[in-house]
Each structure stands twice: as structure tokens, then as C-alpha cells.
Amino acid sequence: MSFIPVFLLMFWGESRIDDEIIAVFYTFYKYILGPLFLLIVIILNVDFKKAKVKNRLVLIFIGGLLFIISFFSKNISILNIFLFLLAIKNVKISNVMRMKLFLGGLLSLIIIGNFILDISYGDYSLYILDSKGDIRYTFGYEHPNNFPMRIFSLLCIYCILRKKFNILDVIFCFGILYLIYEYTISRTTFIVGSLLLMSIYFYHKCNYLNLYRISFLYNHTFLIFLLLSIFLVYFYSGEYSLIYEINTLLSGRVSMGDIVLNSMGITLWGNDIEKFLIENQIVLDNLYLYIILGTGIVFTSLSVMVSYKLFSLLGKHKLYKEIIVLVFVLIYSLSEKTFLDIYFNLTLFLFSFLLYENKISEYKNENYLIHRAEYE
């Protein structure tokens, strides 16, 4: 009840929300009714009485901390993530992923079909011209990157759910990525998506490759990209031609981050960054800059620690396929902040492993049953 309506409206409705009533309903459901349903589920299903005193205090502390950060930053997404992770205690993560993959795939076909009909009837209004004069079709969304982002989020789920990943999977998924790229010219989705496909394929081809030797790298992926993003913005105004070239390659994302950093600064509890971006007509797509500037030092530090703990836990249980997908989600986040939204990015559900001890064993039994001996 909390997830499906918002997901449907996010995936399909955002491309077609012209009606004020629908837009108001979407906002009301996402920020009020959806979280309310989550609270009801948590109250009914999470038995805090049986939880250890220490665990109860930790949950209360984290919940209170996230509420304070949400209040200062005016960003309810981080509170939504915490509520979802609590509410998913008795729900199988794979079932939610399958549901999203099915609904998202169905909606994608409808969107593509609708786009083909629009073009065939001579409606060429659904495109923009980039700086080079190339036509980039939007598929009905506000920006050409929006639909490819949704395709990438579905690709991540597909890679996680497939117990066997063969060359036909690669051809099928690559074909979709290429067709979407041909119309949208969304380079990030095409490049990162293609690299993800190759990585998952070789992981399966090499008899479920053991990635323990590079655990230091993936354990600190979030921190590495955070420091890299801050470094690029901090030194942007200097005499470093390479950073200017990177800024051009990233379509001006570094320069926009520089503007926001100099205007708002980094605070303890965060800023109302969305208001600032709208008022100044600036786009800040880098997730790491968005987090540090929008939610502050406290939440950023918490994100670094939690990310490290999750990667360590996944590595300990040899869930390398999930590690690969998460790493590519973090790579994609260098140019898109949307993955902070749990309605959009279901890999965030994997963080529930840190809250419930039985969750990861339940997940492994369901998704790695044919390879159980490897994990015992």
C-alpha cells in the first residue's frame, strides 16, 4: 500500500502528470499517506518488546537523528528509507524486487509503445536539442535521462534476481540499452549499464568469482566517490585544466556543485537544498554532493559507516553479485542523485540486513539455493 502507488506514479505518472489533482495526490501519498502506512506496518509487525534493550535504543536514536536531519534539510527521503527498512522485516526482499521488475517492465513497454505512436502520428514535441544540436527524445519525461535511469534501475534488479546469467541475457539487456541510447543519447546509462552487464556475466562465467582480494576497494566505495566529488568541486576554481575537462565530460555537474558549495556551504544538519536549486535554476545531480550539502555532515558520516558495514557483511556472506550491482549504482550516482529515493532504488532494501540478523540468511536461501554448499 505504501510502495506500489508511489512507484507507479513515479515510473509512469511523472512523465504525464499534467493534472493538478493527480500531482497533489502523488505528493500527498508520497509524503503523508505512504509513510503513515509504513508506521502502521512497523507498529503491527516489529516486536520491540522482544528486541534487546541495546537494539531498541539504537533504533530510537537513529530514528530521532534522521527525523532531525529531515527537518533541517526538508528531505523526507532519508526518513522514508529508515521506515521502509523497519517495515520490511516480514517481507521477502526478492518478492518486492520481482514486483517492481514486472510492473516496471510492463510500464516501460507502455511508455515505449506510446512513444512510437506519438512519433508515427507526427508528434515530434517529445524531444530536446543538446548543445551539439543532436535530437534527444524524452519519452514523455521532463528530461531525456529520466527514462533511461528507470531502465537502469530495472537492470540492477534483473542482474540480482537472475540465478544464471548467460550470453543471451547480455544480448537481450544490451539490446535494450542500445535502443534507449539511440533515442535519448543518455551516455551514463549506456556506459555504466554495459559495464554492469559485462561484470555480472564474467562473475557467473568465472564460477562465481571471489572478490575478497579487492574487499578494501568495494568496502570504501561510497567514501572514495564522496571524497572524489568534494575534491573536484573544491579545486574547480583553480588552474587545473583536467578538472575543467572532467566538468565538460560530466555536462557541467562539477561547476554547478561549485556554485552550490560556495553559496550554501557544508553544515552539520544540512540545508534546504531543493529550495535553493529551484530558486537559482541549478541542477545538482551528483548524489555525494547532494548528500553532503543537503543533509549535512552528520548524515554523510552515518552513510559512510553504514555503507562500509553493508559491503563488509555482503563480502562476509559472499554475496558478490549484490556487491557488483551496488558498486555500479554508486558509480551511476556520480551523475544522478535519484538513487537516494527508495521508491526508485530497491537496492537500498539490502540495508535491512544490518537491522535484522535473519534477513540475510532468508535472502540467501531463496536466491542462492542452487549454490547453498558454497555458503555453508
Side-chain angles (χ1 to χ4, degrees):
M1 292 175 70
S2 179
F3 179 82
I4 292 179
V6 178
F7 168 71
L8 293 177
L9 284 169
M10 178 212 71
F11 202 100
W12 167 250
E14 278 190 2
S15 68
R16 301 290 174 180
I17 291 183
D18 298 319
D19 193 308
E20 272 188 37
I21 296 176
I22 297 176
V24 169
F25 173 75
Y26 172 68
T27 303
F28 174 74
Y29 206 100
K30 182 175 182 179
Y31 295 107
I32 299 176
L33 200 56
L36 181 62
F37 281 136
L38 287 175
L39 285 172
I40 292 171
V41 171
I42 292 168
I43 292 170
L44 292 176
N45 290 284
V46 179
D47 194 345
F48 288 102
K49 292 181 180 179
K50 289 184 179 180
K52 296 178 182 179
V53 174
K54 180 182 176 181
N55 293 341
R56 274 183 286 175
L57 291 175
V58 169
L59 290 177
I60 292 171
F61 173 74
I62 294 175
L65 194 63
L66 294 180
F67 178 80
I68 294 171
I69 296 169
S70 296
F71 176 79
F72 280 99
S73 65
K74 304 297 186 294
N75 188 338
I76 199 173
S77 294
I78 56 178
L79 196 57
N80 261 343
I81 294 172
F82 183 65
L83 292 177
F84 261 112
L85 296 183
L86 286 178
I88 204 172
K89 179 178 185 291
N90 296 316
V91 179
K92 290 184 178 180
I93 295 174
S94 299
N95 288 346
V96 183
M97 288 185 172
R98 289 188 185 97
M99 176 184 66
K100 179 180 175 178
L101 186 61
F102 172 76
L103 292 175
L106 183 62
L107 290 173
S108 296
L109 289 176
I110 295 173
I111 290 170
I112 293 171
N114 189 73
F115 168 74
I116 293 172
L117 286 175
D118 287 339
I119 296 300
S120 64
Y121 281 106
D123 182 1
Y124 295 100
S125 61
L126 304 178
Y127 73 87
I128 65 171
L129 295 176
D130 65 10
S131 57
K132 297 179 181 178
D134 294 325
I135 295 176
R136 300 185 64 190
Y137 290 96
T138 64
F139 284 85
Y141 289 88
E142 185 179 355
H143 193 275
N145 288 340
N146 289 358
F147 184 53
M149 274 193 294
R150 285 156 174 78
I151 296 298
F152 181 79
S153 72
L154 295 178
L155 176 64
C156 290
I157 298 172
Y158 184 81
C159 289
I160 287 176
L161 292 178
R162 289 289 289 173
K163 289 184 172 66
K164 291 184 178 180
F165 205 86
N166 54 43
I167 193 65
L168 292 178
D169 291 294
V170 176
I171 295 172
F172 171 71
C173 294
F174 182 79
I176 293 174
L177 289 175
Y178 181 76
L179 287 173
I180 297 298
Y181 173 75
E182 277 291 296
Y183 285 98
T184 63
I185 315 182
S186 180
R187 293 172 301 174
T188 303
T189 298
F190 181 69
I191 295 172
V192 179
S194 299
L195 292 174
L196 170 60
L197 283 176
M198 287 190 287
S199 300
I200 292 293
Y201 175 72
F202 283 116
Y203 163 74
H204 283 270
K205 193 71 174 175
C206 298
N207 296 320
Y208 303 90
L209 193 64
N210 191 317
L211 303 179
Y212 176 77
R213 291 183 179 180
I214 57 170
S215 60
F216 178 83
L217 286 177
Y218 62 69
N219 284 347
H220 294 89
T221 303
F222 186 93
L223 178 61
I224 291 169
F225 289 148
L226 172 67
L227 295 176
L228 175 63
S229 300
I230 295 173
F231 173 84
L232 289 174
V233 170
Y234 187 80
F235 289 101
Y236 173 73
S237 301
E239 299 178 358
Y240 300 96
S241 58
L242 178 61
I243 296 181
Y244 284 96
E245 291 178 13
I246 293 173
N247 180 56
T248 303
L249 185 66
L250 295 176
S251 304
R253 286 179 171 88
V254 179
S255 59
M256 286 184 280
D258 178 63
I259 294 171
V260 180
L261 176 62
N262 291 327
S263 302
M264 304 190 75
I266 299 174
T267 64
L268 193 63
W269 300 104
N271 304 287
D272 188 352
I273 195 169
E274 285 296 335
K275 182 181 178 181
F276 176 84
L277 295 176
I278 293 171
E279 289 178 349
N280 294 274
Q281 296 184 330
I282 296 174
V283 177
L284 184 66
D285 283 336
N286 183 297
L287 176 65
Y288 307 98
L289 294 177
Y290 186 84
I291 288 177
I292 187 72
L293 295 171
T295 61
I297 296 173
V298 174
F299 182 73
T300 304
S301 302
L302 183 64
S303 299
V304 171
M305 290 187 291
V306 171
S307 174
Y308 173 81
K309 276 187 164 294
L310 177 63
F311 274 111
S312 299
L313 184 63
L314 293 175
K316 177 183 176 182
H317 288 274
K318 299 182 181 179
L319 296 178
Y320 297 125
K321 181 172 61 175
E322 285 72 13
I323 288 174
I324 293 170
V325 171
L326 275 174
V327 167
F328 277 96
V329 167
L330 291 177
I331 292 173
Y332 201 107
S333 298
L334 286 166
S335 63
E336 295 297 343
K337 67 176 185 294
T338 315
F339 289 90
L340 186 62
D341 193 333
I342 200 159
Y343 293 104
F344 186 89
N345 176 21
L346 281 194
T347 60
L348 290 170
F349 278 135
L350 298 177
F351 284 90
S352 64
F353 295 159
L354 299 175
L355 292 178
Y356 304 112
E357 294 178 3
N358 65 320
K359 206 72 186 167
I360 195 165
S361 58
E362 172 193 279
Y363 176 85
K364 283 166 55 180
N365 287 338
E366 182 182 0
N367 293 279
Y368 289 83
L369 192 59
I370 58 174
H371 309 292
R372 174 177 279 177
E374 181 183 347
Y375 297 96
E376 291 182 348

